Amino acid sequence: TVMPSPTLTPLVSPTPTLAPTPIPARVQLDPPAYDENRDRQDWNNCGPATLALYLRYYGWDGDQADISDLIKPTPDDRNVNVDELVYFVRNYTGWLNAEFRVGGDLETLKQLIAAGIPVMIEETFQTDRKYWPEDDRWAGHYLLITGYDDAEQVFTVHDTEVGPNQRISYAEIDEKWQSFNRVYIMVYRPEMEERVKNILGENWDIDKNRQHALEVSLKETQLNPKNAFAWFNLGTNYVYFGRYNEAAQAYDTARTIGLPQRMLRYQFGPFIAYFHSMRNDDLMELTEYALKITRTSEEAMLWRGWGFYREGKRENALNQFRAALKIRPDYVDALYAIEYVTNN
């Protein structure tokens, strides 16, 4: 977390995409062992549970609790970000690499699976019941993909809520995946890294990958101007490049069209965009709403704290930062915020 700066980061120049290497029309990797009692996700635990399955594909012998105890110590914490999952792999497995990228497509998923690498994605899920009278039941969810079949146009996925070896159509995956900027996580052995680089091509470079995602989201807003997820993704990709005013405008459009009630449980770009574009009233309105929907969102607490700080309410800001630390004691952004506000 940094205080606002008037300097904007320029976009990377667009570059051509190489044609993918031909792959088989059908691939099915050996699925990781699944035990209903151990692997069905615990409360708010689809991220750790899905990652545990993923790691087991490579011979890891832990379970979801080993992951959630470290990156989600508060059981009522409703969200685990992709960077937290990657952090766990890099720091606690000891022998596996992990990366995530955005702006993915079905061909990239298939290419990775054909190379022997399952893929984890974040997508849309409908809850089995309403938690408040007007609940739209929309939620975020992780899936592990281990196979595909072009003839039937389906992926084989492992869902820690529904069960293993589910078959989901290409079209449904792509539609539900869009709501999370088509993010995908790759876990692989170190000797497989060159294989991953070859598949991703220029998307291996993080800045070029984000530029690609920005171009995809911009095109999708033009193809369907009423697609709120396309506008939201455009805002998120603008945030990456520090183009906060443009990001805020894209988020404005997404909100006007209409977003799911839980959207800000999982993605926090609007907080960042409104803060840095000096729209503090919007930031405070959104963070208040987000905390009504998800009372244990450390990210919403963090940005609400920055909003209070901008209003000159230092003690209110510190209270928000401290509340965020109660949910996640190692939350680096909140620790930084406390130090910054205390010393300034």
Side-chain angles (χ1 to χ4, degrees):
T1 305
V2 295
M3 293 301 292
S5 167
T7 303
L8 300 181
T9 304
L11 286 174
V12 180
S13 299
T15 49
T17 302
L18 299 178
T21 303
I23 56 175
R26 181 182 183 276
V27 173
Q28 180 57 63
L29 304 178
D30 291 335
Y34 181 89
D35 181 286
E36 177 71 20
N37 294 323
R38 176 181 61 174
D39 296 318
R40 185 175 176 82
Q41 68 184 61
D42 203 349
W43 179 247
N44 302 318
N45 222 42
C46 71
T50 306
L51 182 61
L53 276 180
Y54 199 166
L55 297 178
R56 197 168 303 133
Y57 174 80
Y58 294 105
W60 187 70
D61 61 0
D63 61 26
Q64 59 181 296
D66 296 315
I67 301 172
S68 59
D69 286 351
L70 282 166
I71 64 174
K72 195 177 80 76
T74 301
D76 198 37
D77 186 355
R78 310 294 176 88
N79 174 59
V80 174
N81 299 321
V82 291
D83 55 331
E84 294 172 317
L85 297 169
V86 168
Y87 170 84
F88 180 87
V89 177
R90 290 176 176 174
N91 290 276
Y92 293 99
T93 63
W95 50 283
L96 291 169
N97 289 349
E99 295 284 345
F100 79 87
R101 297 292 186 272
V102 294
D105 54 48
L106 303 185
E107 186 62 30
T108 299
L109 299 182
K110 291 160 56 181
Q111 288 267 339
L112 289 164
I113 293 165
I117 302 168
V119 191
M120 185 171 168
I121 67 169
E122 190 169 13
E123 50 97 55
T124 296
F125 182 77
Q126 288 290 312
T127 62
D128 59 358
R129 64 186 178 90
K130 292 187 175 184
Y131 289 85
W132 52 84
E134 302 303 322
D135 189 354
D136 62 12
R137 297 176 51 222
W138 185 97
H141 194 52
Y142 286 101
L143 294 177
L144 178 65
I145 307 177
T146 60
Y148 67 87
D149 187 328
D150 284 342
E152 297 191 24
Q153 295 281 290
V154 296
F155 286 107
T156 301
V157 309
H158 305 274
D159 185 326
T160 58
E161 175 67 24
V162 178
N165 298 309
Q166 304 291 314
R167 292 164 64 80
I168 303 180
S169 72
Y170 290 175
E172 183 177 349
I173 286 286
D174 190 55
E175 178 185 358
K176 292 183 175 180
W177 191 22
Q178 184 193 31
S179 56
F180 285 89
N181 208 15
R182 296 191 179 90
V183 65
Y184 55 105
I185 301 173
M186 302 154 286
V187 176
Y188 52 91
R189 297 185 181 93
E191 62 269 21
M192 304 172 79
E193 184 152 293
E194 286 304 313
R195 197 180 310 177
V196 174
K197 287 182 178 180
N198 289 335
I199 292 169
L200 295 189
E202 292 187 340
N203 281 304
W204 177 256
D205 181 280
I206 296 174
D207 287 343
K208 291 181 179 179
N209 169 249
R210 188 63 69 156
Q211 172 66 24
H212 167 72
L214 190 153
E215 292 168 358
V216 169
S217 57
L218 181 58
K219 181 178 180 180
E220 290 179 336
T221 65
Q222 296 165 347
L223 292 173
N224 184 1
K226 295 184 179 180
N227 186 330
F229 293 131
W231 286 102
F232 193 96
N233 293 340
L234 180 62
T236 298
N237 295 320
Y238 276 140
V239 163
Y240 177 86
F241 289 108
R243 297 172 64 172
Y244 301 117
N245 289 328
E246 291 163 285
Q249 292 168 11
Y251 289 132
D252 288 345
T253 304
R255 293 171 59 200
T256 299
I257 295 168
L259 291 166
Q261 294 168 348
R262 292 174 176 82
M263 193 69 170
L264 299 177
R265 172 177 293 181
Y266 309 103
Q267 303 190 66
F268 317 107
F271 304 155
I272 302 169
Y274 291 141
F275 177 83
H276 286 286
S277 59
M278 306 301 175
R279 290 174 55 178
N280 211 60
D281 289 345
D282 290 305
L283 171 63
M284 298 305 284
E285 176 188 344
L286 275 193
T287 52
E288 181 181 19
Y289 169 80
L291 287 168
K292 286 180 179 178
I293 295 292
T294 311
R295 65 181 182 275
T296 54
S297 172
E298 67 269 30
E299 295 88 356
M301 292 172 183
L302 173 79
W303 287 102
R304 189 162 181 78
W306 281 121
F308 277 128
Y309 179 73
R310 176 157 285 160
E311 292 176 348
K313 301 174 181 177
R314 295 178 71 258
E315 197 56 41
N316 293 48
L318 290 169
N319 287 339
Q320 290 292 315
F321 301 146
R322 291 167 185 146
L325 287 176
K326 289 181 181 179
I327 298 169
R328 200 168 112 205
D330 64 345
Y331 191 16
V332 174
D333 287 352
L335 291 168
Y336 166 82
I338 290 172
E339 181 181 0
Y340 184 95
V341 171
T342 301
N343 296 321
N344 288 276

